[in-house]
Amino acid sequence: GREPTPVETAITQEMRALLLEGIAILPEHQQAVMTARLKGESDEEVARVLGVKAASVRSLRRYATDRLAIWLSGRDDREAF
């Protein structure tokens, strides 16, 4: 595939930074699940590390995703432009 443009790279980096900021406000297990997901770890790997079932990892990820969506919807980044 093609290389990303500098603008695409900047946007990707900004989005990742924002995501990491949001993950930092999550409860500890949800943080662990989301961070592991960013690293590409499987649900089974995360479950083993946390000492829970893979189904619990999926639930934690769903709760974390819902919380992040609410957090992101409450942000007003218009002043950045």
Side-chain angles (χ1 to χ4, degrees):
R2 68 173 181 79
E3 291 291 317
T5 67
V7 171
E8 290 170 333
T9 300
I11 290 170
T12 300
Q13 290 171 344
E14 186 175 327
M15 289 174 61
R16 183 175 177 84
L18 184 61
L19 183 58
L20 291 174
E21 182 182 336
I23 288 171
I25 67 169
L26 295 173
E28 187 175 343
H29 272 66
Q30 291 178 17
Q31 284 183 26
V33 167
M34 295 304 285
T35 301
R37 183 62 158 204
L38 288 177
K39 294 178 182 176
E41 296 176 15
S42 72
D43 291 346
E44 290 73 21
E45 291 171 311
V46 177
R48 196 170 29 261
V49 170
L50 295 179
V52 299
K53 295 180 180 183
S56 295
V57 170
R58 289 187 287 278
S59 292
L60 286 166
R61 187 173 55 249
R62 186 177 64 250
Y63 294 139
T65 301
D66 290 347
R67 280 183 168 212
L68 286 172
I70 292 166
W71 179 75
L72 284 169
S73 70
R75 293 183 51 88
D76 184 2
D77 290 321
R78 285 177 289 178
E79 54 219 38
F81 295 103

